[in-house]
Each structure stands twice: as structure tokens, then as C-alpha cells.
Amino acid sequence: MASRGRTIAAVALGRLSRAVVEARLGLVRGHARRAIFARHARLACEALGPAFIKLGQLASVRPDVFAPETVFEMEQLQDRVPAVPAEDIEAIVRHELGRPVQDLFAEFRAEPVATASIAQVHRAELARDYRPVQGALLPAGTPLAVKVVRPGVEASIEADLAVARRWAARLEKLSRLARWRPAALLEEFEHTLASELDLRNEGRVADRFARDFSDDARVVVPRVVWPLTTRRILVTEFVEGWRLNDLGEAERAGIDARGLAAHGAEVFMRQVLVHGRYHADLHPANLFVTPDGRICYLDFGIVGRTTPSQRIAIAQVLVATVYGDADRALRYSRELGLEIPQHQEAAVRARVVELMQRTLSAPGRADVRGFALGFLEMLADFRIPIPSGYGLLVKALVTVEGVARAIYPDIDIVESARPFATRLIAAQLARPERLRERLPAALSAALRELAA
């Protein structure tokens, strides 16, 4: 372990040294300097393997803790690694399910279709009919994706986390870093990582996601084959399609990319604002388009959640943002925990108005990512802490735009979000408890009008 600790220290210090040199010993200021350090942090995570790659990916969903440059750099973490020999994967399947792959599947292909740092995926065929939790019967011969945790990966991750715990304890003693609570943050990440290593959790989330969108024929979630799924194995149906970054062929085949992009954005908003649970690891490898023009969602290892009160406040801020209403956006931001000191309110409002006009108001050319980055930088300039729910909102907006533009680069996500956000607020206002809450004020206003 001491050797691994020295390796981690060498990689971290090596990347830090390069970042300091590139940043010209701090002479490079602001966004450019933070971007340099974020890029080297991402490269260090990639060099250090599964545990650090996953920690980086988890950091990418915490804009309330990390700088925006770090959050968006960590989204790019890649964890493609050399394949494990098929016989090692088959040994894990035999250990977990008690029988060789030849008895469990009609066919099992030795060549993997995907290799990542934690798991490897092989193609297979269902041996007998199976009735899944969601959707129609899967007949024998159905193509399957068999995802298997790589041998030894749990021990490797635990060893790296032990080193990270020692570092976190030391960092807690540094006053400039203590406010980030590195030990508590690492503990939170460890919990998420442990959940991801148990593939049954991913299967449960996939089934729940499929149920949430069972009324949407344009959403596909591969169905889970539970009798063949264990803590280390996840078996689902295999869905064919095009990756989001390779849609030229799909468009030539007649796929309506613009319509699909707008629908993909609405699906994500539904996850965050209606169901309260959302796919938090959306990138081109986890999404693809099927030949019949649907969006297929894969890999539900990292999931985010929103509470009912957060959803209402997020919806209000979203509506205010797409309509360019800075006052309304800031008013409902307070319900998400954003505390703006009174003496800074006027200056903050002026910055938000300027930012909205610069990034969101140009017809057909809204830049949500630019708005999100500018907003987070503005909060940093005013030293205003970012509450976790608010970080979620900002990240959600950027993710919506990123997914939609991966499908159709010219889409205006603000225009696409406007009707959905408006319908959502109208539905919330029409709820009986909301009407009861507003009724006294409405009656009072009506009486004042009559008495005037």
C-alpha cells in the first residue's frame, strides 16, 4: 500500500507542478488559470485508475463544492481500459451464478463490446423466455448485454480509498481547505461508489426509470433479466443504435434529429422536475439513438434526486431563466438556499441581467452553458456559497443543453424548454393545495377591487 501511496503522490504532485508552470506561477488569472488546474486534475484521475476516475465523475455532479471549470472538465473523464481475458469474466459468472456461461446463455461471445475500469460488457443470447418487470416478454434468443465487474477491482478501489482517507484527514487540518470538508466529502463519495459497485442497484434504477417513462414511446431502457443478475453481474437486453456523437448515419437513415433533441431535453427536465430522480452521468457513451428514432438510456450507476420543494423552486427558476426574468429567478433562488447579502443584492441583480442579455436573449443562439458558467463565476466573485440544490439546477441546465446539442448542434434549448417549463408551472398552480394556499390572497384582492 505504501508503494501505491507513493505512486498516487507522484502523479498528483507531477500534475500539480505542470499546472503551476502552465499557469505561469499564478500570473494567468481567473477562468484560464482554473481551467488549467482542472485539466491536470482530470489527467491525474485518468492516470490513477478506477477509484480516482469515479471520484472525479462524482465531483462532476457537485457544482456546489467544486469550481465550474473542474465540474465540466471532470465530465470528460474517460475510463476505457484494456480488456480482461474472457476466461476471467466467465469465471466470475460461474462463481456468481453457479453454472458455466454455456449453460446460462444460448450464446456468449468472448469478445467484449465495451471495456471500462469497473466493468466489462459482453454480448450473449437469452436461453429461454423471460417476463421482465417492465414491458413485453423477452423470447429465447433475445440479444443480451452481460455487464461483469472486473476481477480484483473492488480490492483495488478499497486500497486507493484507504490512501485517499489519509490524505483527506491531513487536508482537514489546513484552514484554507477545511471549509470543503474533504473527509466528509470523501465519505459521501465512498457511499455512492459502493452503491455503484453493486450492479443490482443499477438494475433497480433502470427498472424505475423505465416505469417513469412507460408512457413515452420515444424512450428506451434495456430490460433487466433478474434471474441472471447478481451483485457483480447485470444482464439486460441488448439494444442496437447510433452513439450521439455519430449521428450522421442516423440522419441519412431519416432520423428527425431536431425533434429528437427537443424531446431528449424534455425527458431530462421530466426526470429532474417531475419524477425527482435523474440520470446523473449523461454523456455520449450512455445514450444512443435506435434505428426507429427513439433515445436509449444506459448505465444508471450515478443517479441524482430532487425533493418536492426543490422541484417547485427549480421549476420557477427555470421558467424565470427562459423568460429572462432576473428578479423572479433570484427570488425563487432563495428557496433553494441561495443567500445573497442585502448589500450585494443590487449588484448581483445587475450582473444577472447583463448575463441573461449576453447569453440567452439572442434569438436562436442561446448559450446555456455560457450562462451557467458565468453565473457560477459571478457567485464566486461575490463569495456567495452555492447550496447543493442550486448547483443541481445549474448542472441540469447545462446537461440538458449538452445532450440536446449532441443530437442536433443547432438547437436553441431555451426555446425548447419554454413550453415544457410553462406547462409545468401551470400544472403546479392548478394543484388543489396550491389553490387553497393562494385563495385567501385572491379573495382579499377581489374584495379590495369591489370596495374601490
Side-chain angles (χ1 to χ4, degrees), residues 245-295:
N245 51 6
D246 186 27
L247 284 182
E249 189 179 345
E251 290 190 80
R252 286 192 291 276
I255 297 295
D256 173 15
R258 191 182 187 291
L260 208 57
H263 190 67
E266 186 170 321
V267 167
F268 189 78
M269 286 186 279
R270 243 184 100 181
Q271 292 174 56
V272 174
L273 301 174
V274 178
H275 299 301
R277 42 183 174 264
Y278 62 96
H279 194 307
D281 191 22
L282 286 180
H283 55 73
N286 287 342
L287 284 166
F288 60 85
V289 177
T290 65
D292 57 357
R294 299 180 293 165
I295 303 179

Side-chain angles (χ1 to χ4, degrees), residues 201-232:
N201 292 323
E202 184 180 336
R204 293 185 193 105
V205 175
D207 274 349
R208 202 173 301 131
F209 189 96
R211 188 169 62 246
D212 287 344
F213 288 91
S214 58
D215 61 340
D216 190 333
R218 299 176 73 180
V219 171
V220 182
V221 180
R223 287 165 285 182
V224 179
V225 182
W226 283 107
L228 299 175
T229 293
T230 70
R231 191 166 67 88
R232 291 191 175 91

Side-chain angles (χ1 to χ4, degrees), residues 50-51 116-119 148-159 197 232:
S117 54
I118 284 186
V148 182
V149 173
R150 296 165 71 95
V153 73
E154 292 121 318
S156 167
I157 287 175
E158 178 51 39
L197 282 169
R232 291 191 175 91

Side-chain angles (χ1 to χ4, degrees), residues 12-303:
L13 292 175
R15 282 292 161 194
L16 180 61
S17 302
R18 293 186 195 189
V20 168
V21 172
E22 278 188 39
R24 289 184 284 171
L25 304 178
L27 293 176
V28 175
R29 296 291 181 184
H31 166 72
R33 175 171 51 79
R34 292 193 296 271
I36 290 170
F37 279 88
R39 179 164 52 82
H40 282 282
R42 191 234 329 145
L43 291 171
C45 287
E46 288 180 347
L48 291 171
F52 287 86
I53 288 171
K54 284 299 166 190
L55 292 178
Q57 289 174 339
L58 293 172
S60 77
V61 296
R62 294 299 304 271
D64 54 310
V65 177
F66 299 99
E69 292 81 2
T70 302
V71 167
F72 296 120
E73 185 71 34
M74 290 301 176
E75 279 184 336
Q76 302 175 38
L77 274 170
Q78 300 293 318
D79 60 351
R80 288 187 291 271
V81 297
V84 173
E87 52 267 31
D88 293 348
I89 295 296
E90 292 180 18
I92 292 177
V93 174
R94 186 167 56 249
H95 178 267
E96 290 289 306
L97 294 169
R99 293 156 63 191
V101 294
Q102 294 79 7
D103 291 352
L104 296 165
F105 303 98
E107 181 187 355
F108 185 89
R109 298 187 187 178
E111 187 71 21
V113 293
T115 60
S117 54
I118 284 186
Q120 183 162 305
V121 180
H122 289 253
R123 191 162 174 166
E125 286 186 4
L126 192 62
R128 55 191 63 84
D129 295 352
Y130 173 67
R131 173 74 62 185
V133 173
Q134 294 290 324
L137 178 86
L138 294 172
T142 296
L144 300 174
V146 183
K147 182 175 184 178
V148 182
V149 173
R150 296 165 71 95
V153 73
E154 292 121 318
S156 167
I157 287 175
E158 178 51 39
D160 281 358
L161 288 177
V163 176
R165 282 186 211 108
R166 289 203 301 274
W167 283 26
R170 291 170 186 161
L171 293 175
E172 288 270 357
K173 298 174 183 173
L174 302 177
S175 57
R176 293 192 63 180
L177 300 177
R179 66 187 176 91
W180 287 333
R181 302 183 302 115
L185 195 61
L186 179 62
E187 186 178 349
E188 179 187 325
F189 284 0
E190 283 184 62
H191 179 73
T192 305
L193 191 51
S195 173
E196 193 174 353
L197 282 169
D198 185 342
L199 296 182
R200 293 171 298 188
N201 292 323
E202 184 180 336
R204 293 185 193 105
V205 175
D207 274 349
R208 202 173 301 131
F209 189 96
R211 188 169 62 246
D212 287 344
F213 288 91
S214 58
D215 61 340
D216 190 333
R218 299 176 73 180
V219 171
V220 182
V221 180
R223 287 165 285 182
V224 179
V225 182
W226 283 107
L228 299 175
T229 293
T230 70
R231 191 166 67 88
R232 291 191 175 91
I233 302 171
L234 174 64
V235 178
T236 66
E237 64 178 321
F238 191 97
V239 179
E240 300 277 3
W242 296 282
R243 297 291 182 193
L244 293 194
N245 51 6
D246 186 27
L247 284 182
E249 189 179 345
E251 290 190 80
R252 286 192 291 276
I255 297 295
D256 173 15
R258 191 182 187 291
L260 208 57
H263 190 67
E266 186 170 321
V267 167
F268 189 78
M269 286 186 279
R270 243 184 100 181
Q271 292 174 56
V272 174
L273 301 174
V274 178
H275 299 301
R277 42 183 174 264
Y278 62 96
H279 194 307
D281 191 22
L282 286 180
H283 55 73
N286 287 342
L287 284 166
F288 60 85
V289 177
T290 65
D292 57 357
R294 299 180 293 165
I295 303 179
C296 180
Y297 291 78
L298 301 175
D299 196 344
F300 295 86
I302 303 178
V303 179

